[in-house]
Amino acid sequence: MTDTVEETLSAIQKQAAPEIEDMEAERQRRKERLACGLRTMGRLHLAEGVAGHVTVRDPEFTDRFWVNPFGHNFKLMTVSDLICVDHNGDVVVGDRPVNAAAFAIHSELHKARPDVMAAAHSHSMYGRTFSTLGKPLKMISQDATMFYNDIALCNEGSGAVVLDTSVGRAMGEALGTKKALIHQNHGLITTGGSVDAAVWWFIALERLCQSQLLAESAGEPIEIPDHLCEDGYKAQGNDIAGWFQFQPFWDELVAREPEFLT
């Protein structure tokens, strides 16, 4: 039984982080996952208006990232819509504009964390509401433990539209080695070793913010003991688990909206 579990985990890891043998093929793969992640966030009503952005690092030119163009509907995103931006804020592939906030935030996050392949942010209802409280997520459910000791808080530039890279830099510094950040009076930012993981962490954290807001409106929620939080984190807080959790969304979109791959 143990061998079977280990073999399954090994197979999952190879799918989540395949060896790069062809840069162009890997670039295409990352763009496909990015378009899927954006559409998924749109379908889940996690994006409003023109705010929000998800990025993935280019496999060859690591000082560049692919991102959704400014003003394009998440739910209609295709691979060919994506643009590539360098760390100077210049669009190097594509002919559509980049969201200035996407550059200010993501360029600094990618600089601060070379291990981060992707990052997700939008002005989701419960994430932005929770961010106004200036407090951490409580470990009040099994699902919450995937973020145990893995969420940072930042109040630099809180409430202002993030157009200054100095604020993005402060956010990167606050993030440290963690995978998620609550930016006060703004919202959530999540990162991962894949688009899949970054987007899943965002979806999960949004729902957990909703859960805590509901629980605290009804009473004083009971928190989970630390040793059980540690166990929960080991089981579901790693990057491979984040990637795996996203696969049902990928499968559904490929089946129902395959045009996103064009």
Side-chain angles (χ1 to χ4, degrees), residues 240-261:
I240 300 302
W243 178 90
F244 191 61
Q245 289 271 27
F246 184 77
Q247 299 321 295
F249 294 109
W250 169 265
D251 293 340
E252 182 180 4
L253 207 66
V254 168
R256 296 187 176 184
E257 301 176 24
E259 66 274 11
F260 82 89
L261 295 168

Side-chain angles (χ1 to χ4, degrees), residues 49 64-65 72 85 105 122 124 138 159 168 186 197 200 206:
R64 300 177 182 179
F65 55 83
H72 193 72
V85 180
I105 295 171
S122 75
S124 54
K138 290 182 178 179
H186 184 189
W200 165 251
E206 167 73 4

Side-chain angles (χ1 to χ4, degrees), residues 184-207:
Q184 189 171 306
N185 303 105
H186 184 189
L188 312 176
I189 298 171
T190 56
T191 66
S194 64
V195 172
D196 309 58
V199 172
W200 165 251
W201 299 136
F202 190 93
I203 295 168
L205 187 53
E206 167 73 4
R207 298 293 187 252

Side-chain angles (χ1 to χ4, degrees), residues 64-96:
R64 300 177 182 179
F65 55 83
W66 293 87
V67 64
N68 49 300
F70 190 39
H72 193 72
N73 192 312
F74 274 37
K75 289 185 284 187
L76 302 178
M77 201 67 60
T78 66
V79 169
S80 58
D81 291 322
L82 302 172
I83 60 175
C84 187
V85 180
D86 65 20
H87 283 183
N88 294 317
D90 298 320
V91 177
V92 295
V93 180
D95 57 4
R96 301 185 66 174

